[in-house]
Amino acid sequence: MTSEEPALSPHGAVDAIDSVSVLAEESRRRMFTFIRRAGRPVTRDEAAASIGVSRKLAAFHLDKLVTAGLLRARYGDPGAPRRVGRQPKVYEPTDLQIAVSIPQRRHELLAGLLLEGVLGQTDGHTAAAAATGAAADAGRRLGEQERERSRPGRLGTERALTMCERMLDAYGYEPVRETPTRVRLRNCPFHPLAGQAAELVCGLNHAFLDGYLHGLDATAVQAVLAPSPGECCVVLTDPTASPQSRTRD
């Protein structure tokens, strides 16, 4: 995993669905296709002409595409002669890649960890070990970023689990608070690959979540391997809690 992996990614499954839904309108979809294929920044007038609508209606569609993260807008037309006054607004595609999966999957995260494992393999360090280390590092960076952003101070069980639930939800784990001291993860973001190599994938998943807790400095909570059919192999729990509070309701 490289440092490019975002912190709490703003583009989870719900946001991806929202972005895709913007393209459900035919004129907007045709305009977006035209801009993607242009290979250069496109003006509002050009976008309007591409689908035969007014400049005002084109501006409405373009604003929707920008808000959805599919286009970026800026002032300046590099291909036009320099004129006095403000340059026209131009539009171009962003680098956002949208994949919608319900339930949410994170195969790109798993692929990045496995790639680092292959690249980090040495005579005394297997690919699996290197990938596990990369997973722990990625989780730790994520936890450190969230701690720096929120500055929570000392984390007790309740606050730690609440912060973890936000990250887990963003990454598609579908967390459920079984008890006040235990969070079970209803979805495995790495399914169905986890079923093909359970020991490897579950080990990477555990290292990633354990690393996150360390980066967050959430010492009151542990990531524990507790496989359950159809769910994630890890639960987050307070090991010091009473047996009654750790029992499934």
Side-chain angles (χ1 to χ4, degrees), residues 43-228:
T43 66
R44 189 175 297 172
D45 289 335
E46 290 174 319
S50 73
I51 60 171
V53 299
S54 69
R55 191 173 186 273
K56 182 176 181 180
L57 183 55
F60 170 78
H61 288 316
L62 290 166
D63 286 345
K64 290 286 188 181
L65 292 167
V66 169
T67 300
L70 297 168
L71 294 180
R72 68 169 63 92
R74 59 184 174 82
Y75 287 100
D77 183 0
R82 186 171 183 81
R83 296 179 297 180
V84 177
R86 188 168 66 177
Q87 296 292 302
K89 185 179 284 189
V90 294
Y91 300 85
E92 54 193 346
T94 65
D95 295 328
L96 177 64
Q97 298 184 36
I98 300 174
V100 177
S101 174
I102 303 174
Q104 191 176 167
R105 302 301 183 208
R106 283 282 181 169
H107 293 158
E108 79 288 351
L109 172 58
L110 180 60
L113 297 174
L114 294 174
L115 179 60
E116 284 211 18
V118 171
L119 296 176
Q121 185 175 9
T122 63
D123 290 341
H125 203 204
T126 66
T132 301
D137 288 343
R140 176 184 49 76
R141 287 195 300 269
L142 190 66
E144 289 173 348
Q145 290 167 0
E146 175 59 10
R147 186 170 183 84
E148 176 63 24
R149 186 190 69 80
S150 58
R151 300 184 182 279
R154 181 179 174 82
L155 287 173
T157 301
E158 169 62 28
R159 177 65 171 147
L161 288 177
T162 297
M163 293 182 69
C164 289
E165 285 172 322
R166 183 167 58 180
M167 182 279 289
L168 294 165
D169 190 56
Y171 274 77
Y173 284 96
E174 297 183 2
V176 173
R177 187 76 70 96
E178 280 192 318
T179 74
T181 61
R182 180 183 175 97
V183 172
R184 179 165 287 278
L185 312 178
R186 297 299 189 196
N187 180 52
C188 172
F190 309 126
H191 183 81
L193 299 178
Q196 300 175 28
E199 184 176 354
L200 173 61
V201 176
C202 289
L204 295 178
N205 188 33
H206 181 236
F208 175 68
L209 295 176
D210 187 61
Y212 177 77
L213 291 173
H214 278 82
L216 197 61
D217 197 21
T219 57
V221 176
Q222 289 183 2
V224 179
L225 279 171
S228 180

